[in-house]
Amino acid sequence: IPQVPGQGRIQTKPHVPNKCLPPYRTAAGPTSCTLQWQSTVDNGSPIVQYVIRYATNREMEGAVEAPKESGTRRVRVIEDLEARVSYYFQVCARNEVGRGEWSNPSQACETQAPRKPSAPGAPHLVTAASSSLIVGWFNPSGNGAPVDTITLRVADNKMMRDHREIPDIPAAPQKFEVDQLTPGQMY
């Protein structure tokens, strides 16, 4: 048993942290839930991390641990979730001795319906020929739903007057050949 030098006192060994109270939802988006929770007793060794896990059932069958974050913040945004799904969360605290017990499951956090996709960035040139261009793009965020198709507009002026619209281009492979263009013209 460790002794405190010069004081004639003895000290017990530290233990894993106590069980946390369940986390609670503070916000939800189409692909995320923001959680918050209270601290717990560290049992003689400072808490160094909180670990979150989630499942789509209150029994926590098939629970997945969220990507770990270092530090002791008690607010976390859990991302890359599916839209319109109810998730349940648990939290546990970790100190130098080890992990404490998982909390009871949270109330359900239902992600929102998908939103309209974000605007894509401007297309970029992949290759040019005399009467065609192959342009590429980076797919925008789907905000809860996959981006399946892209609509491309082509014009010979920055104001996009009299543009040609090419709808329903598959979003993958993120490039497309625009043909029937005028040789030497800027687009």
Side-chain angles (χ1 to χ4, degrees), residues 76-88:
R76 227 13 228 287
V77 178
I78 308 301
E79 298 181 300
D80 299 324
L81 304 175
E82 291 183 35
R84 290 189 178 153
V85 173
S86 290
Y87 289 91
Y88 298 87

Side-chain angles (χ1 to χ4, degrees), residues 32-62:
S32 67
C33 283
T34 303
L35 305 172
Q36 194 168 353
W37 59 92
Q38 296 177 356
S39 186
T40 189
V41 177
D42 66 13
N43 289 324
S45 177
I47 293 170
V48 296
Q49 182 183 45
Y50 289 98
V51 181
I52 301 283
R53 71 178 184 176
Y54 60 92
T56 56
N57 59 79
R58 191 158 174 77
E59 296 75 32
M60 302 303 290
E61 292 172 9

